[in-house]
Amino acid sequence: MVILPGWLGALDRKLLRDIWRLRSQAFAISLVIAAGIGMVVMSFGMIRSLEATRDAYYDRYRFADIFASARRFPERLIDDVQSLDGVSIAEGRLTSGATLDIPGIAEPITTRIHSLPRAGMPRVNALVLRSGRRPNPARSDEVLASEKFADAARIGLGDTIEALLYGKKQRLRVVGTVLSPEYVYAIGPGQIFPDNRRFGVLWMGEEHLAAALDSTNAYNELLIRLERGAVGQDVIRRVDNMLERYGGRGAIPRSDQISDRFLENELAQLGQITAILPPIFLGVAAFLINMVLSRLVESEREILGLLAAFGYRSRVIMWHYAKLAMVLSLPGLVLGLMLGSWMGRGLAGIYQEFFVFPFLTYRAGSDVLLISCLITIIVVLMGAAQTVRRIGKLKAAEAMRPPVPPNYSGGIAQLIGKFKRLDEPTRIILRGLVRRPLRSILGSLGVAAALGLYVTSAGSMDNVGMMTDLLFNQANRADVNVSFAEPRDERVLFELERLPGVMRVEPVRYITATLSAGHRSRSESLTGMKPYGDLNRLVDIDHGLVQPPVKGLMLSTVLSKQLAVEPGDQVEVEITEGRRPRLALPVRRILKSPIGNPAYVDFDSLRPIMRETPLTSGAYLSVDPDKTDELYRKLKAMPQVAGFSQRAAALNGIDETVGETMGIVTLFNTAFSALIVFGVVYNNARISLAERARDLVSLRVLGYRRQEVSYILLGELALIVIAGLPFGSLFGYYLSKYLAASMSGDLFVMPFSLSVGTVALAILLVLATAALSALFVSSRLHRLDLVSVLKTRE
Amino acid sequence: MADPAPSRPAEDKSLYTIRGLTKIYGEGSTAVHALRGIDLELYKSDMVVLLGASGSGKSTFLNIVGGLDEATDGQVFFEGRELTALATSELTEYRRNSVSFVFQFYNLVASLTARENVALITEIADDPMTPEEALALVGLEKRIDHFPSQLSGGEQQRVAIARAIAKRPKVMFCDEPTGALDSQTGVIVLDALDQINRELGTTTLLITHNVVIADMADRLLRFADGSLIEDRDNPDRVAPSKLRW
Ligand SMILES: Nc1ncnc2c1ncn2[C@@H]1O[C@H](COP(=O)(O)OP(=O)(O)OP(=O)(O)O)[C@@H](O)[C@H]1O
Ligand SMILES: [Mg+2]
């Protein structure tokens, strides 16, 4: 008994005592509300923080609005671009691939090297100097390295690394580490997850890079900052025209820049999840409030009638219960706000693994908090609405009515009487369930929702697993993947074949092209493949392995939508390299590709088009695992090789970064879902107990043993839970599928896969939670005082 | 104790021996002495009526002897076994095998029919009557398949009596079984109890506020403020149908 101050009105005293009495259910409801609100605060806050950070970063470090690249264009072109309408800053630079030989790492490391302007640091895509100093322009070996790469590859300031740059060996000294708005999400070519150890970015003085590339007074990349309000498309068109004769590969707006696209994609996904999961959590919370409140009001019908008879206005009584519901959920709100900000900070930490900002602080903002409060009030009122409305209709006369046992004589209840083999406790269970079918069904649905959420959260790891399988077991089965700085004569393949440990070599050819159909066009690179390859294969998410097209194109689903073409349609192909031929090719097939936006063409029909000696841009190798070290040593020395990737390392990288971080996010969601399971099951159990207490105690008085009485209480709970399992599994299946679909975009398509193990584990968790709840309530049941329960009438 | 204990039949008819039975609720200044050391012998097949003002300790006494509640002090022996020394689970077995209860508020399970409510007991008893027999004993053979909500208060109470009697208990504890009923219905219920006591020899302890009902008993116990203030035999036991109030 709690001692309450004298100034509290009688109704408010009742309110506080009711809350004290309902504390364990309030606790369960609070957990569910906390989960929902926590998620809202975490995700909204995270979206906010990411957007604000990104905008500030892009703005302060002048992230380019337009990116263009060409084979080689003269320096003076920059002035022409600078004078275009709408252009605020135009800057040229040289960019090249290179492989590094780093002490302690066996395999060659793929890097990208950008030039630093002669004047010093870049004006567009400005760098954040994190440690060390700028390179001395007089020294040819000094470079800056991206911070995460330097950390991951353990390159210290002053360390010397060996680079193979444009076929020439060169010693480079890292004198500073930097961040760039261009590499918020730093991934190597063809990757979707960052692997900082195996992909890095370097910046070196323009003159020195130009000398290494034999490219003085020329650039191959153009970065443009637009003036406020300038139309990007106009500038892009003009720039494309200007660069065409220099081997322009089509300028792209910022929104097509790879790092920005991934960042944007992440924000969209976060928004999606926020739109789907918290409403489910909060819906469950509303349902729990409804359950608790309607049970309370039902047991207090007489008191309500009495209050009405005494002249309390129904508005006052309704307000009393609405207040009760709100106070019941207050701890959930507070807990949710705290939990959300705590997890938001944690999430910000995780994001910094993937998205590199000079600063990223999670800040929920007072409006997010305010919105959370509003949402909670709405949820609570939704949960309370039905019950409170019912109170409004209650008549004072109810109080005077003598107690009538609840009516169980309905049709199904009679039917249960026909089964002579049933024992009476089982009859009690069944009639209890069918007397309030809606409540029983809602109870089961609550369990189903919780199970579904758990399946969805835990199942997201299955999807990633499937993705990894598709990419590294089905599609790319090569142990090593090399790319050349420039397309090479196919004879290079024989050289590769002769390297130690190489067992099989398959060529691949990339050609930049602009594809158009009608008024739509996209700049993409065409990938040329050999049919019946074994190391690099095409997979369709829905149909598995697919052979490259014959005499025509195979387009990714996204690309085919962008061009609005179907199989059989013609696509205009303008090749933007070599002799820049134009031709029309038929679309043979649409491919639902797991990553990127590829367009495939078969190797052999490529040659007549290009009218060139057979060229290859890179190769897939299968390698004898015992000879890798030797092979790497040779590859590091091969001047042609500009890029290198290793399947095992890539897989490791995914396991490390994605596995760990997604693991944490999944853990959060899974913990939330477990809370919901507990909230729903425990509340069901408590309400069953409240409703059955009198019957159960009567049975105890009659000499029923504890287990026999528990059977009735827990049997009902078990049926409700078990009935929820199939629905929950189905719900989880579809929700996972929906989430996978909504996470898919033009960057990658998240395959959907749900393992039986995940569902089984989820069911096991629900059953374990149910068992725990059962333990709680049956211990309560056994603590009930036989005498005091019987003293009162129903 | 006001009256001397009345002369009783042979010792082997003794069913309960109660020594210094005390019950205190709460502690310190708020402690309530519900029973202040009751000494008593109860005999087989007696119809005993318990009288006393509200709060005098009747229900407390009945609940302890019936194995629903625990004493603070003192002993209760049932057929030589000390009930006050039993564990909770042993008390359950005692209630299950030897005694039955009828309460003022019937306590039927609303989701079971009359027959099924009785079956609750016959399913767990060793040598029960059939539910039909038990219901016939209280004159309800026609309402066997009705749910509690379809029965009057008196009928519900008779179902409760049928349920109590169906396992052929040694003792019936009735706490104000007619408290919620009008006099005519009350007589019908008492009639059922009387008949069972006579025909089956079931020892019956019946709490009532109605002094008139004492006339149907073999023995009368009167409580006041936790003590027994009157204990007398009634040689002129009358049938309930003769009672008027
Ligand atoms: N759980 C309890 N906690 C505290 N005091 C109690 C409790 N149960 C009973 N009492 C007190 O014990 C005393 C005896 O109660 P009891 O119920 O035995 O009386 P009674 O004779 O049956 O009364 P009535 O005729 O009104 O039913 C009363 O003073 C009562 O207030
Ligand atoms: Mg009493």
Side-chain angles (χ1 to χ4, degrees):
Chain A
M1 176 69 65
V2 189
I3 308 296
L4 299 170
W7 46 263
L8 268 180
L11 267 188
D12 286 331
R13 282 158 179 272
K14 171 179 173 314
L15 184 102
L16 290 177
R17 294 229 167 88
D18 282 344
I19 288 166
W20 182 243
R21 200 154 48 86
L22 294 170
R23 62 191 179 278
S24 59
Q25 287 171 78
F27 177 68
I29 293 176
S30 292
L31 289 184
V32 176
I33 291 185
I37 291 297
M39 246 181 151
V40 169
V41 171
M42 176 183 84
S43 336
F44 269 143
M46 199 63 234
I47 293 176
R48 276 296 204 56
S49 312
L50 277 175
E51 279 177 347
T53 306
R54 174 198 61 187
D55 292 347
Y57 189 27
Y58 281 4
D59 194 51
R60 199 165 332 146
Y61 291 89
R62 296 180 298 280
F63 186 42
D65 293 303
I66 293 171
F67 299 77
S69 68
R71 235 182 105 69
R72 193 167 191 258
F73 60 91
E75 245 183 77
R76 59 184 153 70
L77 202 74
I78 298 295
D79 295 333
D80 300 345
V81 175
Q82 180 74 66
S83 60
L84 285 178
D85 255 3
V87 173
S88 159
I89 316 172
E91 198 167 59
R93 70 178 181 189
L94 284 165
T95 294
S96 167
T99 56
L100 301 185
D101 186 358
I102 293 172
I105 302 180
E107 70 268 23
I109 302 294
T110 304
T111 49
R112 190 171 298 151
I113 303 188
H114 296 300
S115 65
L116 290 168
R118 253 162 273 166
M121 297 292 264
R123 286 189 298 152
V124 182
N125 294 353
L127 300 176
V128 187
L129 191 66
R130 298 284 280 189
S131 70
R133 56 171 175 84
R134 301 170 180 192
N136 180 347
R139 301 198 53 114
S140 65
D141 61 343
E142 292 189 353
V143 294
L144 296 171
S146 49
E147 187 186 32
K148 284 262 167 181
F149 167 60
D151 285 351
R154 303 194 186 192
I155 303 170
L157 289 183
D159 283 2
T160 304
I161 46 183
E162 193 125 319
L164 193 58
L165 180 54
Y166 204 62
K168 286 170 231 160
K169 272 214 169 156
Q170 208 152 347
R171 297 178 78 69
L172 301 175
R173 232 159 60 83
V174 175
V175 297
T177 60
V178 291
L179 304 181
S180 159
E182 199 178 346
Y183 293 101
V184 170
Y185 194 77
I187 48 174
Q191 308 287 300
I192 53 172
F193 299 115
D195 181 354
N196 290 316
R197 219 166 100 89
R198 296 177 188 85
F199 174 73
V201 188
L202 302 177
W203 284 262
M204 69 189 281
E206 190 177 301
E207 277 164 277
H208 310 300
L209 187 59
L213 299 178
D214 292 333
S215 185
T216 28
N217 297 330
Y219 294 127
N220 58 14
E221 281 190 352
L222 173 63
L223 305 173
I224 298 171
R225 280 281 289 183
L226 292 176
E227 272 166 357
R228 220 171 274 281
V231 181
Q233 279 311 314
D234 292 349
V235 179
I236 287 180
R237 206 170 320 113
R238 297 224 184 117
V239 168
D240 277 346
N241 280 335
M242 293 163 83
L243 287 179
E244 187 171 344
R245 60 200 183 96
Y246 301 109
R249 296 192 187 101
I252 54 166
R254 179 193 284 179
S255 58
D256 280 347
Q257 196 263 349
I258 196 76
S259 159
D260 186 69
R261 264 169 78 180
F262 270 93
L263 183 52
E264 199 53 53
N265 189 58
E266 184 62 32
L267 283 166
Q269 277 181 25
L270 210 51
Q272 288 273 9
I273 292 174
T274 316
I276 296 169
L277 294 187
I280 298 177
F281 280 75
L282 295 171
V284 172
F287 156 68
L288 291 183
I289 291 170
N290 176 283
M291 242 167 79
V292 170
L293 220 58
S294 66
R295 160 68 202 160
L296 184 70
V297 168
E298 213 164 282
S299 67
E300 289 185 346
R301 265 178 66 229
E302 289 173 38
I303 301 171
L304 292 173
L306 206 68
L307 288 176
F310 287 166
Y312 275 88
R313 290 200 192 87
S314 64
R315 225 172 343 112
V316 175
I317 303 176
M318 285 162 75
W319 173 232
H320 170 72
Y321 283 94
K323 239 182 351 191
L324 177 70
M326 278 191 266
V327 177
L328 276 181
S329 27
L330 201 64
L333 174 63
V334 175
L335 194 67
L337 293 180
M338 289 182 344
L339 201 69
S341 338
W342 178 71
M343 288 190 319
R345 278 193 293 277
L347 193 64
I350 291 172
Y351 268 97
Q352 272 160 312
E353 287 287 308
F354 288 102
F355 297 95
V356 185
F357 292 102
F359 48 86
L360 176 61
T361 35
Y362 167 86
R363 218 167 254 130
S366 54
D367 50 345
V368 170
L369 302 184
L370 207 71
I371 287 171
S372 304
C373 295
L374 268 177
I375 291 176
T376 309
I377 291 175
I378 291 170
V379 166
V380 167
L381 292 183
M382 257 165 45
Q386 183 213 358
T387 314
V388 169
R389 253 206 325 274
R390 206 142 39 91
I391 296 169
K393 291 198 199 112
L394 217 67
K395 297 283 172 318
E398 306 245 2
M400 315 329 182
R401 230 190 266 160
V404 180
N407 187 0
Y408 279 87
S409 59
I412 304 177
Q414 296 280 8
L415 198 71
I416 290 167
K418 299 272 186 290
F419 293 95
K420 296 280 182 263
R421 301 276 298 278
L422 288 180
D423 54 30
E424 307 317 318
T426 308
R427 267 185 241 271
I428 296 179
I429 296 175
L430 295 179
R431 291 219 178 98
L433 287 173
V434 300
R435 193 175 107 81
R436 292 202 187 78
L438 191 68
R439 251 262 312 282
S440 310
I441 290 170
L442 280 178
S444 286
L445 287 183
V447 172
L451 175 64
L453 279 177
Y454 185 89
V455 166
T456 308
S457 314
S460 57
M461 285 309 265
D462 286 356
N463 293 345
V464 173
M466 169 92 165
M467 178 76 129
T468 320
D469 179 62
L470 278 178
L471 293 181
F472 292 99
N473 293 332
Q474 312 274 342
N476 179 3
R477 306 201 300 168
D479 301 307
V480 168
N481 191 348
V482 294
S483 57
F484 308 125
E486 301 267 308
R488 292 270 154 180
D489 191 294
E490 259 193 8
R491 271 172 300 186
V492 76
L493 298 175
F494 298 116
E495 254 178 83
L496 290 174
E497 258 169 17
R498 279 199 304 272
L499 289 176
V502 173
M503 302 189 293
R504 192 187 164 97
V505 177
E506 281 178 21
V508 63
R509 174 83 166 102
Y510 302 108
I511 306 168
T512 57
T514 304
L515 307 179
S516 40
H519 62 283
R520 299 158 198 270
S521 82
R522 298 287 305 173
S523 297
E524 286 296 338
S525 87
L526 285 178
T527 306
M529 299 184 62
K530 287 217 151 148
Y532 303 105
D534 194 42
L535 301 180
N536 181 28
R537 308 188 294 181
L538 296 181
V539 281
D540 184 292
I541 283 186
D542 296 335
H543 300 105
L545 289 176
V546 169
Q547 286 304 323
V550 177
K551 301 224 162 77
L553 292 169
M554 190 183 308
L555 302 182
S556 71
T557 317
V558 178
L559 194 54
S560 73
K561 282 198 188 117
Q562 285 166 343
L563 294 172
V565 290
E566 285 173 16
D569 291 351
Q570 295 279 323
V571 171
E572 292 288 324
V573 179
E574 183 196 351
I575 305 237
T576 50
E577 60 183 75
R579 304 152 48 97
R580 301 181 83 93
R582 282 167 184 267
L583 68 155
L585 284 175
V587 178
R588 295 281 181 220
R589 182 185 177 124
I590 308 293
L591 182 79
K592 197 167 169 195
S593 164
I595 49 170
N597 211 354
Y600 296 101
V601 58
D602 81 288
F603 219 82
D604 294 315
S605 60
L606 204 61
R607 280 183 193 143
I609 304 169
M610 296 300 290
R611 280 182 248 151
E612 61 186 16
T613 49
L615 290 179
T616 176
S617 314
Y620 291 84
L621 315 179
S622 81
V623 174
D624 178 351
D626 292 339
K627 302 210 173 117
T628 46
D629 284 359
E630 209 183 330
L631 172 70
Y632 294 155
R633 239 189 335 270
K634 294 267 182 194
L635 278 176
K636 280 176 184 173
M638 262 182 88
Q640 303 93 319
V641 174
F644 176 93
S645 69
Q646 193 196 1
R647 180 161 149 266
L651 268 172
N652 257 340
I654 289 184
D655 271 0
E656 272 169 31
T657 44
V658 184
E660 267 172 36
T661 50
M662 284 249 333
I664 293 174
V665 174
T666 307
L667 190 75
F668 278 165
N669 289 343
T670 326
F672 280 155
S673 314
L675 285 187
I676 289 220
V677 174
F678 181 77
V680 170
V681 174
Y682 181 66
N683 253 298
N684 264 312
R686 280 309 297 264
I687 286 186
S688 293
L689 175 63
E691 284 178 347
R692 294 235 179 268
R694 201 181 162 75
D695 281 354
L696 300 179
V697 167
S698 294
L699 292 181
R700 289 282 287 145
V701 169
L702 292 176
Y704 269 70
R705 301 187 183 115
R706 282 184 172 185
Q707 318 84 282
E708 291 166 338
V709 176
S710 295
Y711 167 72
I712 296 177
L713 181 65
L714 305 182
E716 177 176 326
L717 184 64
L719 285 180
I720 286 179
V721 169
I722 289 169
L725 296 181
F727 295 107
S729 308
L730 269 183
F731 175 57
Y733 176 86
Y734 284 108
L735 189 62
S736 301
K737 198 167 176 174
Y738 179 75
L739 263 185
S742 72
M743 282 177 78
S744 306
D746 52 352
L747 288 170
F748 57 88
V749 177
M750 188 54 92
F752 166 66
S753 124
L754 189 58
S755 71
V756 178
T758 303
V759 178
L761 196 71
I763 288 177
L764 217 64
L765 176 91
V766 169
L767 293 181
T769 318
L772 201 70
S773 309
L775 220 63
F776 277 158
V777 286
S778 56
S779 88
R780 280 201 78 87
L781 170 63
H782 298 318
R783 283 206 309 273
L784 281 181
D785 181 2
L786 299 187
V787 177
S788 64
V789 174
L790 295 173
K791 243 185 222 167
T792 55
R793 58 178 199 183
E794 189 98 50
Chain B
M1 205 150 301
D3 292 87
S7 62
R8 297 307 309 177
E11 270 301 302
D12 64 341
K13 284 204 70 184
S14 172
L15 192 61
Y16 285 100
T17 305
I18 296 154
R19 298 269 169 269
L21 187 61
T22 304
K23 178 73 179 183
I24 303 170
Y25 288 107
E27 274 172 48
S29 58
T30 57
V32 176
H33 289 258
L35 293 176
R36 300 170 187 269
I38 307 283
D39 293 300
L40 192 63
E41 202 79 27
L42 292 171
Y43 302 99
K44 279 178 191 158
S45 303
D46 266 5
M47 165 73 80
V48 183
V49 164
L50 285 72
L51 290 171
S54 182
S56 56
K58 307 180 295 292
S59 298
T60 306
F61 174 78
L62 198 78
N63 290 339
I64 294 175
V65 177
L68 292 177
D69 206 350
E70 285 168 10
T72 311
D73 202 5
Q75 292 162 308
V76 177
F77 293 91
F78 171 71
E79 293 182 330
R81 269 173 84 207
E82 189 186 345
L83 290 185
T84 36
L86 294 184
T88 324
S89 62
E90 294 169 312
L91 279 179
T92 303
E93 296 308 308
Y94 161 67
R95 292 199 303 272
R96 188 178 180 110
N97 301 322
S98 308
V99 303
S100 276
F101 295 86
V102 176
F103 295 99
Q104 182 179 357
F105 303 118
Y106 328 138
N107 294 305
L108 297 180
V109 177
S111 60
L112 297 180
T113 61
R115 184 214 309 268
E116 291 161 356
N117 261 290
V118 178
L120 268 177
I121 291 301
T122 60
E123 276 172 7
I124 61 167
D126 281 339
D127 172 31
M129 309 174 189
T130 64
E132 289 76 9
E133 280 177 85
L135 285 164
L137 268 179
V138 295
L140 278 181
E141 54 272 64
K142 298 244 161 59
R143 315 298 304 269
I144 247 171
D145 284 322
H146 286 76
F147 283 92
S149 60
Q150 300 165 314
L151 297 171
S152 75
E155 286 165 343
Q156 288 182 54
Q157 190 61 299
R158 280 188 281 157
V159 174
I161 292 172
R163 185 175 70 179
I165 204 62
K167 68 178 176 196
R168 305 183 206 276
K170 294 188 174 130
V171 193
M172 286 262 277
F173 295 102
C174 312
D175 195 342
E176 297 184 50
T178 58
L181 304 174
D182 65 65
S183 71
Q184 243 176 325
T185 320
V187 166
I188 296 173
V189 166
L190 291 175
D191 220 26
L193 289 173
D194 184 66
Q195 188 192 344
I196 286 156
N197 171 259
R198 282 178 198 281
E199 290 176 8
L200 305 176
T202 310
T203 311
T204 306
L205 268 70
L206 191 154
I207 293 180
T208 179
H209 280 126
N210 194 337
V211 190
V212 180
I213 293 177
D215 289 345
M216 65 175 277
D218 294 314
R219 185 177 175 189
L220 179 147
L221 302 174
R222 189 184 294 273
F223 283 75
D225 194 23
S227 303
L228 201 56
I229 52 159
E230 186 184 346
D231 178 356
R232 76 178 157 79
D233 284 342
N234 177 21
D236 316 313
R237 174 172 167 176
V238 297
S241 54
K242 303 259 164 53
L243 303 176
R244 284 290 172 271
W245 68 88

